[in-house]
Amino acid sequence: MQDKEVYLLLTDTGTWLTRLIKLYTKKPFNHASIAFDEQLKQVYSFGRKTPKNPFIGGFVQEDIKGGIFKQATGVVYSISITEDQWKKMQNYIQQLQAEKDHYRYNFIGLFGFLLKRPIKRKNAFFCSQFVAAILQESNVIQFNKPISLISPYDLQTTESFQFVYEGKLQEFSSQTNDRLQVVDYA
């Protein structure tokens, strides 16, 4: 069986909420997503459901070419996983998609994170908690602390991930599409 690649995407969208979080974390990237393709078309996270209101959040499929991601900078990492882990991740995502109206953004959990006290809530995640959950539930990475205390930076410093790209997301997307469209006419 051939291994599959999954991508960790950490971003700075430049929104006022991101700037506020940055003041606390002192880290350049404060939003985490997981992607299932090199072109970053299948990107999932817990975040805003409407671009203009950060307080209406939940499980989302993100479009890195538009909305708050249009001018975003970020870093992309990859990790090789087995076919079995891939299937577990896909099942996890399908379950969330089927029940997405029952899931919400874990604002209370963010306060627990700030106080370094894990707060686990049913059907609620913040972005890095979601990414950590899918990695842990799929037996890709076992974290040494509660997933409700995992930050985007914690994900970034996990040794299992391999650096792929850092910069404007639009440029990464263009570079990836250019590589995929190379045709050998020989």
Side-chain angles (χ1 to χ4, degrees):
M1 260 190 280
Q2 186 176 358
D3 285 351
K4 299 212 176 244
E5 292 292 313
V6 173
Y7 299 87
L8 170 66
L9 178 60
L10 303 176
T11 54
D12 175 359
T13 58
T15 64
W16 67 267
L17 185 58
T18 295
R19 290 191 305 267
L20 186 64
I21 293 169
K22 246 179 159 171
L23 284 173
Y24 174 80
T25 66
K26 311 279 190 264
K27 303 295 181 200
F29 305 110
N30 291 289
H31 179 68
S33 311
I34 193 162
F36 293 95
D37 62 303
E38 185 181 22
Q39 301 81 28
L40 304 181
K41 291 181 180 178
Q42 297 176 40
V43 181
Y44 300 95
S45 189
F46 269 69
R48 28 176 107 197
K49 288 187 171 187
T50 60
K52 296 185 183 206
N53 189 340
F55 300 107
I56 299 174
F59 177 70
V60 291
Q61 182 169 358
E62 296 174 328
D63 176 9
I64 66 154
K65 293 184 180 206
I68 63 171
F69 292 97
K70 200 170 194 172
Q71 299 300 320
T73 57
V75 62
V76 179
Y77 294 90
S78 69
I79 188 170
S80 293
I81 61 172
T82 66
E83 183 75 30
D84 186 51
Q85 291 167 326
W86 174 267
K87 287 177 185 175
K88 286 179 183 178
M89 285 186 166
Q90 294 300 310
N91 289 338
Y92 194 91
I93 293 294
Q94 288 171 1
Q95 180 183 357
L96 287 172
Q97 283 178 321
E99 300 173 6
K100 69 181 175 185
D101 293 335
H102 300 334
Y103 284 86
R104 59 201 171 282
Y105 192 85
N106 191 4
F107 285 107
I108 294 171
L110 275 183
F111 289 111
F113 176 82
L114 295 174
L115 299 171
K116 296 182 178 31
R117 303 234 184 252
I119 298 175
K120 184 174 175 134
R121 297 181 61 220
K122 185 177 181 183
N123 296 345
F125 294 95
F126 51 84
C127 63
S128 54
Q129 180 183 24
F130 159 71
V131 173
I134 195 169
L135 291 167
Q136 189 161 290
E137 291 293 320
S138 304
N139 298 319
V140 175
I141 297 173
Q142 296 303 308
F143 295 95
N144 59 3
K145 63 182 175 180
I147 60 170
S148 60
L149 295 179
I150 299 290
S151 71
Y153 182 74
D154 292 328
L155 294 168
Q156 183 176 16
T157 57
T158 301
E159 291 181 12
S160 303
F161 286 106
Q162 302 299 312
F163 175 82
V164 175
Y165 173 83
E166 184 173 352
K168 290 279 191 187
L169 291 184
Q170 297 303 312
E171 292 174 17
F172 174 77
S173 183
S174 297
Q175 289 174 7
T176 301
N177 287 334
D178 290 346
R179 279 197 315 273
L180 294 173
Q181 292 177 7
V182 172
V183 179
D184 183 7
Y185 292 104

